[in-house]
Amino acid sequence: MNKVLLVAASAALAMGSVAVQANPFDALGCSGCHGTGGKSAIPTYPSLAKSARPDLDIVKELKAFQTGARVDATMNAMAAMTVGQEQAIADYLAGQ
Ligand code: HEC
């Protein structure tokens, strides 16, 4: 799992250097697991796009991962990086 996180983090860095105004979902490497635009092709990683998950409350779930109310080692670490950007991520996914 650490290796996956490293890959995601490197992907985020690589994207950050080329994209001037990357959206936070891509900039933080979320798309590395959850797919482009939050449309995942891998069952392990849930789709997050509004079109695929109309009832998913992104802000609520990210905060639950941040506080530990929801436990998943990967997402607890990833959600910690989204503090202050939860709504921006939700807004981006709402358009997908
Ligand atoms: C290394 C892979 C990986 C990365 C990178 C990742 N996630 Fe996740 N994410 C997961 C997995 C696995 C789950 C399912 C966790 C579970 O079963 O509780 C998940 C679940 C979620 C959920 C809850 C979905 C649901 O159906 O309730 C949200 C929201 C989410 N991720 C947002 C993000 C955001 C935003 C980022 C970027 C900051 C991100 N994830 C980065 C693997 C990843």
Side-chain angles (χ1 to χ4, degrees):
M1 193 52 82
N2 281 338
K3 194 175 168 194
V4 177
L5 273 176
L6 271 178
V7 170
S10 332
L13 285 175
M15 284 186 272
S17 58
V18 284
V20 177
Q21 281 189 315
N23 67 67
F25 190 74
D26 284 338
L28 292 173
C30 315
S31 46
C33 286
H34 291 287
T36 304
K39 291 165 194 149
S40 172
I42 307 163
T44 318
Y45 305 123
S47 284
L48 304 174
K50 191 79 171 175
S51 57
R53 303 287 305 283
D55 297 329
L56 182 63
D57 186 334
I58 300 287
V59 172
K60 183 177 144 225
E61 296 307 333
L62 285 177
K63 293 201 179 215
F65 283 126
Q66 286 165 5
T67 62
R70 182 168 175 183
V71 178
D72 176 80
T74 303
M75 275 312 303
N76 291 134
M78 291 307 300
M81 303 198 312
T82 69
V83 173
Q85 299 186 79
E86 301 92 340
Q87 190 59 54
I89 292 169
D91 289 347
Y92 167 75
L93 290 168
Q96 300 301 308

